[in-house]
Amino acid sequence: MSDAAARQGGKMQLDRLAPEPGGGGSTGGADLVVNQDDLGPVGHEAFILHDHLHRQADIAGSGADKHGSGSTMQAATALKVSNFEMGSALETTVSV
């Protein structure tokens, strides 16, 4: 056993920076505080982005075959037929 390991006594210690004076360091455990007013605009922008992406890149219909299955669903089916569990997970992404 090395000298450093002997001094540690089997305990682990993580290095960290000391809080800066007046820097708003945590005193009670919570490092981040978010108010409901802050979440509304973020959620709204996320919804707009999701809607835009859904319209621009319709995964379910992209590269549709003669049965109307998109390329993602075709890949999911091929994976499932080959006994890959990932096929079911990929299929789930199409319906989301």
Side-chain angles (χ1 to χ4, degrees):
M1 180 181 287
S2 70
D3 292 334
R7 286 192 300 267
Q8 289 290 328
K11 295 181 183 177
M12 182 194 303
Q13 179 179 345
L14 299 176
D15 291 335
R16 63 183 171 146
L17 293 173
E20 294 181 22
S26 174
T27 57
D31 290 336
L32 178 63
V33 176
V34 178
N35 296 317
Q36 187 69 27
D37 295 342
D38 298 331
L39 296 177
V42 172
H44 178 71
E45 290 298 320
F47 179 78
I48 290 172
L49 177 61
H50 176 269
D51 187 50
H52 176 72
L53 291 173
H54 184 71
R55 289 182 200 191
Q56 295 297 318
D58 184 9
I59 294 172
S62 178
D65 63 5
K66 62 183 177 183
H67 303 291
S69 296
S71 58
T72 303
M73 187 59 84
Q74 293 172 40
T77 301
L79 288 167
K80 285 172 63 175
V81 167
S82 298
N83 296 319
F84 283 94
E85 291 181 20
M86 189 168 72
S88 296
L90 186 58
E91 188 176 51
T92 301
T93 65
V94 173
S95 63
V96 172

